[in-house]
Amino acid sequence: MRLFNKEKRIKYLAFNDIWFMIAGIILLSFVTDFLFSRGSFTRLPFIEATINWSVSLMFSIANWSIIRSILIALRKRYPGLKDNKKRIPLFFLSIVVTVMTVDFTGNMILGYVFDNSYNNPLRIKLIIPIILISTMTMAIYEAIFYYVRLKQSIREEEQAKRAIVQAQLDTLRNQAQPHFFFNTLNTLRDIIDQNTREEAKEFVNRLSEVYRFILESGNANLIALHEELNFAKAYIHIQQERFGDNLKVQWNVSESAKEQLIIPMSLQLLLENAVKHNVISKAKPLIVSVDVVKGQLVVSNKIQHKSTQLPTTKLGLKNIESRYQLISDKQVTITKDDGYFRVKLPLLNVVDQKHSYADTHH
């Protein structure tokens, strides 16, 4: 029975209404007693008043139980919001019919049992307040039902948004990894052409360490800065196998900043970008500075254009910007001034994440 089955009650009423039903029936019984008996407890002896009130209680239980069952049946038959125009008028009509039927049937039974007439010419006028009170009570059921459904709808919409954001982040993250793989293969080809076999083997060994980091970072969308620094330093170590002392990185990052969060592979992509697009030679060594300034990781280098510019899709920078836009309202800043190229990556905390991203993993 739905009355005693908690799961059924929650399914069709959106909440466990057992206490609401008990309190409502008792309240309705006192209202009924006041309307039809002018308040038994105020003018009759306690036992007689209790008997009178018990009759009102029976009427209230019958009305509430029948109307509640009709409510559940209509919700099963017309579950959608688009069905409200059918369901609500039918429900109101059911309340009117139920109250009048219960009153008529109850009075016939009482008349038969007590051999007395309980019909009153003014009874129809007294039934109207019962209909109104029953309608208002059932309106509370409707209000709670739609409030719960609204919360559920909002929650489902947020979950859908998070799923979309996560899918976009996964796509961007997976885009960054092949980009890195492609460039490191080109570097390996140059090392094989220019260096000994042992040096090429050492490069491959170090490259495997870098890829171990990529695998261990898994599906993370944010990692601690100290982890990204370790990855970036491993990448630079690999590049220094190729360029030697002609490539230098100045690391100026405080210990306190290292616990803040950053997009995985973002620093490495910026370093890779600098190596790819600038002259690196003994005459023109490339010096890249990595600093933390006002809550931002600033990566800068002097622009040293190659005589033959390599074609670029700016995939690395676009990838970083897109991932930051999905996760946070803080923006990546890219500038070219005074002969220097600078990129500022916001360092994030948990509170900096967008609401639609807050529950995705990191």
Side-chain angles (χ1 to χ4, degrees):
M1 292 179 65
R2 298 186 193 104
L3 179 63
F4 302 106
N5 189 314
K6 181 179 178 181
E7 291 183 2
K8 293 289 186 181
R9 289 198 299 270
I10 294 174
K11 179 179 179 180
Y12 295 112
L13 301 174
F15 73 110
N16 185 6
D17 72 325
I18 189 71
W19 292 110
F20 175 68
M21 182 170 58
I22 292 170
I25 288 173
I26 292 172
L27 178 62
L28 187 59
S29 68
F30 279 107
V31 172
T32 304
D33 178 71
F34 176 79
L35 291 173
F36 288 95
S37 301
R38 293 172 293 164
S40 299
F41 289 98
T42 61
R43 63 184 186 84
L44 297 174
F46 180 76
I47 295 177
E48 189 178 344
T50 301
I51 294 171
N52 259 22
W53 171 75
S54 297
V55 173
S56 297
L57 179 63
M58 292 302 105
F59 276 85
S60 299
I61 291 173
N63 278 323
W64 194 292
S65 301
I66 295 170
I67 293 171
R68 181 178 175 275
S69 297
I70 293 171
L71 170 64
I72 292 173
L74 287 173
R75 281 192 182 156
K76 289 176 68 177
R77 186 174 180 82
Y78 303 107
L81 291 175
K82 64 181 182 300
D83 299 319
N84 280 355
K85 291 181 180 180
K86 295 179 182 178
R87 189 174 57 79
I88 292 177
L90 284 173
F91 187 41
F92 177 72
L93 181 62
S94 300
I95 293 173
V96 174
V97 172
T98 299
V99 172
M100 294 182 69
T101 302
V102 168
D103 181 76
F104 177 77
T105 306
N107 279 299
M108 284 187 64
I109 295 171
L110 289 173
Y112 178 77
V113 172
F114 295 103
D115 194 20
N116 196 2
S117 175
Y118 282 83
N119 291 319
N120 187 318
L122 298 176
R123 197 168 190 86
I124 189 65
K125 292 184 179 180
L126 299 176
I127 289 175
I128 292 174
I130 302 300
I131 293 173
L132 293 175
I133 292 170
S134 298
T135 301
M136 287 188 290
T137 304
M138 293 302 122
I140 295 173
Y141 271 110
E142 289 289 335
I144 294 173
F145 181 74
Y146 281 106
Y147 173 71
V148 172
R149 285 192 64 179
L150 178 62
K151 285 180 64 178
Q152 181 182 354
S153 176
I154 292 172
R155 185 165 57 250
E156 289 173 353
E157 184 179 354
E158 286 298 320
Q159 289 172 348
K161 287 180 180 177
R162 291 187 189 112
I164 292 170
V165 169
Q166 187 59 56
Q168 291 173 321
L169 286 167
D170 290 344
T171 299
L172 290 168
R173 185 179 57 250
N174 294 333
Q175 182 187 68
Q177 293 173 5
H179 180 262
F180 170 71
F181 182 61
F182 174 76
N183 286 326
T184 49
L185 284 179
N186 284 338
T187 302
L188 176 60
R189 180 194 59 198
D190 293 341
I191 287 177
I192 291 171
D193 289 342
Q194 300 171 14
N195 300 77
T196 65
R197 178 181 296 179
E198 289 303 315
E199 288 172 324
K201 287 172 64 178
E202 179 63 20
F203 176 86
V204 171
N205 289 336
R206 295 193 179 277
L207 185 60
S208 67
E209 293 176 9
V210 171
Y211 271 98
R212 186 180 298 114
F213 170 85
I214 294 176
L215 292 173
E216 288 174 354
S217 65
N219 296 324
N221 296 316
L222 285 174
I223 61 172
L225 177 58
H226 68 82
E227 294 181 65
E228 179 68 13
L229 285 170
N230 290 339
F231 176 44
K233 287 177 180 179
Y235 169 75
I236 288 298
H237 196 86
I238 288 173
Q239 294 300 325
Q240 285 175 335
E241 294 286 333
R242 176 184 177 190
F243 297 106
D245 292 337
N246 298 330
L247 173 62
K248 297 179 181 179
V249 179
Q250 299 173 340
W251 308 96
N252 303 306
V253 180
S254 65
E255 290 299 319
S256 59
K258 290 181 180 179
E259 294 306 315
Q260 291 186 277
L261 303 175
I262 194 170
I263 301 293
M265 296 186 70
S266 54
L267 174 57
Q268 180 274 326
L269 282 170
L270 295 180
L271 295 173
E272 183 180 313
N273 194 61
V275 170
K276 182 179 178 181
H277 295 290
N278 290 279
V279 171
I280 305 176
S281 65
K282 191 171 183 178
K284 282 189 173 184
L286 179 65
I287 302 173
V288 183
S289 296
V290 179
D291 307 273
V292 173
V293 181
K294 296 180 180 180
Q296 294 179 309
L297 186 70
V298 183
V299 181
S300 60
N301 63 273
K302 186 177 180 181
I303 299 172
Q304 301 176 172
H305 288 302
K306 291 183 176 180
S307 56
T308 304
Q309 286 295 313
L310 296 174
T312 177
T313 60
K314 297 185 178 179
L315 177 64
L317 294 177
K318 288 178 181 178
N319 185 288
I320 294 170
E321 287 180 305
S322 297
R323 283 195 280 169
Y324 264 101
Q325 286 171 3
L326 288 170
I327 290 175
S328 171
D329 290 323
K330 295 187 176 183
Q331 301 295 315
V332 175
T333 305
I334 302 171
T335 58
K336 287 182 181 180
D337 52 51
D338 301 326
Y340 279 82
F341 183 80
R342 290 185 181 87
V343 180
K344 298 178 181 178
L345 302 178
L347 296 178
L348 304 176
N349 297 303
V350 174
V351 294
D352 297 321
Q353 300 171 42
K354 287 182 179 178
H355 179 65
S356 59
Y357 167 75
D359 285 347
T360 56
H361 51 275
H362 60 80

